[in-house]
Amino acid sequence: MVTSEFKLFKFMLMGMWIAMALTGPVHAFDIKSDVSKESGPFDLFKFGFKAYKNGQKEEAVEAYKYAAEKGHTGSRWALANMYADGDGVTQDDFEAFKIYSEIAQQGVEPGSEDTGFFVNALLSLANYYKHGIAGSPVKIDLTQARQLYFQVASTFGVPEAQFQLAQMMLAGEGGNASPQQAKKWLNQARKSGHPGAMAVFGNILFDEGQTARGLALMTAALDRCKPKDCNWMEALQEQAFSVANEADRRTAVSLSHAIASGSAD
């Protein structure tokens, strides 16, 4: 199940840089402008960011490329996202993969402001290894995907990585099936408010006999899901609701409200 939580994580990360980008009009990217290819990497990044916000994506790409050549991690990350999404450039997942790989290989110092970009690059690579890139040397490698999800889940505590890792553990993808470990990761992710983890964890509890609590978690997840992910969560919840008795249904509805409001765990 591919969720929209991953894209949301990218958008939130980009938001970290909004305060750093100065306001004002964007000039054409040439020697007459305030910024040229000889400018410092952060000035180039700020120029690219403003250009992107104003819809001048060709200028943004050019500025990001120059900044990336000067070693600016945020510009590399922004450029990789544009290739991955086909945003202002022709979509090219393999090009995005190569840039994310550069960020991952560069590593990050503890507490560095580049940590978010590093983590997102690892998540992006995990996703590419999980699904492969058609017409490229990047083939499906579930073992590598699982290892990357584990790294991000355990070292950085990112709920999306915890969720994806749990899914692979439940399915026995990239290694042995491990339902108990999967439950641990799902529980951590759902405590952070991850709707997918909430739905899957609730479904497991339901199947284990914790009918009302499991159904409550699945119901609460529907209040938080993004449109792209709601269908499969709704299918889980409706299936469980159809076989639960009336008393469990009432309890679950009440408990789901408490979960949604944060007054129940």
Side-chain angles (χ1 to χ4, degrees):
M1 301 170 187
V2 179
T3 75
S4 60
E5 297 297 316
F6 179 64
K7 284 193 174 182
L8 178 62
F9 181 79
K10 292 201 295 186
F11 296 150
M12 290 175 63
L13 186 56
M14 179 59 85
M16 292 166 47
W17 290 87
I18 292 179
M20 301 180 187
L22 302 178
T23 58
V26 176
H27 305 288
F29 192 83
D30 59 31
I31 198 64
K32 297 179 182 179
S33 70
D34 297 334
V35 177
S36 72
K37 63 182 180 180
E38 284 79 25
S39 298
F42 188 61
D43 286 334
L44 286 162
F45 170 79
K46 289 190 293 183
F47 179 96
F49 184 80
K50 289 189 293 181
Y52 183 90
K53 285 182 64 180
N54 286 345
Q56 296 171 277
K57 295 182 179 179
E58 289 185 5
E59 287 83 353
V61 169
E62 188 173 5
Y64 286 150
K65 284 182 176 180
Y66 282 123
E69 290 173 359
K70 296 173 185 285
H72 190 265
T73 304
S75 294
R76 284 179 175 171
W77 174 81
L79 193 58
N81 289 343
M82 293 181 79
Y83 278 113
D85 298 334
D87 185 11
V89 294
T90 301
Q91 184 176 14
D92 190 336
D93 284 310
F94 185 50
E95 185 63 28
F97 174 88
K98 289 188 290 185
I99 300 173
Y100 287 132
S101 296
E102 290 174 357
I103 297 172
Q105 290 167 7
Q106 177 181 315
V108 67
E109 294 292 330
S112 168
E113 63 182 13
D114 290 337
T115 298
F117 302 124
F118 175 72
V119 169
N120 182 260
L122 294 181
L123 277 173
S124 299
L125 291 173
N127 189 58
Y128 280 133
Y129 280 122
K130 186 174 182 180
H131 301 285
I133 301 175
S136 84
V138 182
K139 308 303 179 186
I140 293 175
D141 187 338
L142 297 179
T143 300
Q144 182 71 1
R146 182 161 164 169
Q147 289 174 349
L148 287 169
Y149 284 134
F150 179 80
Q151 180 181 353
V152 177
S154 58
T155 304
F156 301 99
V158 176
E160 176 65 10
Q162 294 169 344
F163 173 65
Q164 294 295 342
L165 175 62
Q167 292 286 77
M168 298 191 78
M169 287 180 164
L170 287 173
E173 295 178 330
N176 295 330
S178 182
Q180 290 305 311
Q181 283 296 308
K183 282 179 63 178
K184 182 193 81 169
W185 291 115
L186 287 170
N187 195 32
Q188 288 191 28
R190 67 97 187 167
K191 285 182 177 179
S192 298
H194 192 290
M198 191 177 292
V200 175
F201 187 69
N203 188 56
I204 291 174
L205 294 184
F206 185 91
D207 289 342
E208 291 178 345
Q210 298 185 52
T211 306
R213 179 163 174 73
L215 183 55
L217 285 167
M218 285 184 275
T219 302
L222 293 180
D223 292 331
R224 305 185 182 193
C225 65
K226 304 300 182 296
K228 180 181 176 181
D229 304 318
C230 287
N231 287 343
W232 67 263
M233 296 185 202
E234 188 174 358
L236 284 181
Q237 193 269 353
E238 288 181 349
Q239 173 62 26
F241 195 84
S242 69
V243 299
N245 61 45
E246 189 61 30
D248 284 333
R249 289 177 181 175
R250 291 199 187 97
T251 302
V253 170
S254 177
L255 183 56
S256 71
H257 294 318
I259 292 172
S261 65
S263 59
D265 186 12

